[in-house]
Amino acid sequence: MAERDQWIDLGAAAELAGKTLQPVEAGTVKIALSCINGAFGAVHNACNHVGGPLGEGALDGDYIICPWHQWKFHRVSGLGEPGFEEDRVPAFPVKVENGRVLLQLNPTKRQKKPHEPHPLVRPVERAPGPIRVAGISTTAMDKGAPRYSGSDDLLASALKGAEAQGCETQLIKLNDLKFRACEGYYSKAAHACTWPCSITQMRPKDELTPVYEALVHWADAVIIATPIRWGQASSLYFRMAERLNCIQNQVTTHNRVLIRNKVASFIVVGGQDNVQGVAGQMLGFFAELGFHFPQFPYIAHSRGWAAEDMERNVAEIRDSTDLHQGAAELAGRTVALAQRLLDSEPAARIARGGRKAHALD
Ligand code: FES
């Protein structure tokens, strides 16, 4: 009898019926085995999207919800949920005989509905043109009652400095974008954190795409400006940084470096101190993304812990020629390095070692 016609014994029906959904193995094939009221269903364990383990998901009626990004497949037929039937995972014949669950390795064909690739997926190729600088403002404020922001003002001076050197610039205000916090797909599995970000792919209304566009595709340099909030960068900065995990994770999962030959620098201002801590975190994080830094990669201003008269901080920044000139000079250093990197022969491949202990299979 051909192997595909043989019935493989998965185990005792009474025992396997104890769980509505579970991963099981039939020889070397992983199966998502489900059971509702004694009726078994068996589909391939690997989701059509990026291979999430369906058997570890949950049931919504007769549909298995993938635990990674919630695509749904019928637990018996393998068809995608209504509207997505063209997407199907292999379904296996399964039956109960003499109290045993039996399965044939003779599945229906996997079929993937062609999905339009997300525009961010395109190859990273620098378009010709002058050096392009993206400024990212991370300050949070009520848009209905805008007020002066020291970090934004210095960022404006930095971008003006870049324009004076013939650069194209773009200002992105995180406060203008509605975007979700990272939902920790990486914590489910390294491969569940995808490029583009799983949230970006699944939720067309999420507005972080301009930031990904600028960092990965458009810009040669980015200047990120933040206020200090309780000794840290702003909450909007961290919300963005967590969502940038998908860029760093590509190195881990696919040895794919999305950020090459790009430069980052920073502007940090705050009523109270911890400039070095804030700048250190930002430097460490952007280094992990693959950015280069100019010499003296940040400017900062703080009047220290005891300076509770915040209005004077604001006035100091607004009226300081030194600080605004320093912002323009920061842009100058940033642009100069971006130009040097563009002019130099790009490294074919950068070895990034030091993490072998728990390397992914
Ligand atoms: S929905 Fe299954 S892997 Fe993404």
Side-chain angles (χ1 to χ4, degrees):
M1 190 191 296
E3 195 185 344
R4 44 192 287 237
D5 295 328
Q6 289 170 12
W7 288 94
I8 297 175
D9 189 335
L10 297 181
E15 204 176 302
L16 289 169
K19 288 185 181 161
T20 53
L21 179 64
Q22 60 192 308
V24 297
E25 286 180 8
T28 56
V29 182
K30 288 202 172 133
I31 306 284
L33 184 73
S34 56
C35 183
I36 296 180
N37 299 328
F40 284 91
V43 298
H44 199 283
N45 196 50
C47 173
N48 261 9
H49 179 211
V50 284
L54 295 176
E56 292 168 30
L59 283 179
D60 174 10
D62 273 325
Y63 286 88
I64 298 174
I65 308 171
C66 177
W68 282 7
H69 313 105
Q70 293 90 47
W71 284 24
K72 291 183 184 177
F73 300 94
H74 195 277
R75 69 181 192 90
V76 178
S77 67
L79 297 184
E81 64 181 314
F84 297 89
E85 290 91 343
E86 283 175 63
D87 250 317
R88 65 190 300 169
V89 292
F92 297 82
V94 64
K95 66 180 181 183
V96 177
E97 221 169 71
N98 300 324
R100 310 293 297 178
V101 179
L102 306 176
L103 173 140
Q104 262 179 340
L105 286 177
N106 184 15
T108 56
K109 275 221 165 72
R110 187 184 293 275
Q111 184 176 306
K112 292 192 180 186
K113 181 179 177 187
H115 292 266
E116 217 28 62
H118 193 284
L120 286 170
V121 173
R122 70 188 187 276
V124 181
E125 280 164 1
R126 185 185 187 274
I131 296 282
R132 293 182 283 267
V133 182
I136 299 184
S137 148
T138 71
T139 193
M141 66 175 75
D142 178 357
K143 281 185 232 159
R147 56 177 164 72
Y148 175 85
S149 155
S151 58
D152 271 7
D153 199 13
L154 291 178
L155 182 58
S157 292
L159 293 181
K160 248 189 247 158
E163 284 161 12
Q165 295 185 56
C167 299
E168 267 181 50
T169 65
Q170 178 186 163
L171 173 63
I172 298 173
K173 291 187 167 216
L174 295 186
N175 202 43
D176 289 343
L177 307 178
K178 286 199 183 72
F179 60 100
R180 296 171 75 96
C182 173
E183 286 157 21
Y185 290 90
Y186 187 87
S187 303
K188 299 178 184 179
H191 286 274
C193 175
T194 58
W195 171 252
C197 170
S198 313
I199 294 173
T200 301
Q201 291 189 58
M202 290 187 296
R203 299 184 188 275
K205 285 195 178 147
D206 186 87
E207 294 179 354
L208 201 62
T209 301
V211 173
Y212 292 127
E213 270 291 345
L215 262 56
V216 173
H217 292 290
W218 183 81
D220 300 300
V222 291
I223 302 174
I224 301 105
T226 185
I228 302 173
R229 304 265 189 248
W230 282 100
Q232 304 291 340
S234 79
S235 56
L236 278 180
Y237 164 79
F238 280 109
R239 180 181 276 229
M240 169 189 73
E242 289 179 16
R243 288 284 303 277
L244 300 183
N245 187 76
C246 59
I247 295 176
Q248 189 277 331
N249 191 49
Q250 283 295 298
V251 183
T252 310
T253 55
H254 294 84
N255 200 18
R256 182 171 177 223
V257 180
L258 291 168
I259 305 282
R260 283 182 194 275
N261 297 331
K262 292 180 186 247
V263 183
S265 58
F266 310 94
I267 294 169
V268 180
V269 299
Q272 271 121 21
D273 213 346
N274 202 24
V275 164
Q276 287 150 325
V278 173
Q281 192 286 333
M282 296 173 102
L283 283 161
F285 179 68
F286 277 78
E288 280 290 288
L289 294 183
F291 281 90
H292 297 257
F293 306 112
Q295 195 167 17
F296 308 118
Y298 62 92
I299 62 160
H301 177 261
S302 166
R303 291 171 56 235
W305 170 248
E308 296 281 9
D309 49 347
M310 302 297 180
E311 60 280 6
R312 288 185 56 204
N313 297 328
V314 164
E316 273 198 16
I317 294 172
R318 193 180 48 219
D319 301 337
S320 166
T321 316
D322 270 5
L323 278 172
H324 287 277
Q325 194 179 321
E329 287 166 355
L330 176 73
R333 297 194 290 279
T334 305
V335 170
L337 178 57
Q339 187 66 62
R340 278 211 300 282
L341 289 170
L342 271 186
D343 293 344
S344 64
E345 200 59 38
R349 189 171 177 280
I350 307 243
R352 176 178 168 275
R355 299 194 181 191
K356 287 203 165 38
H358 297 286
L360 296 173
D361 291 337

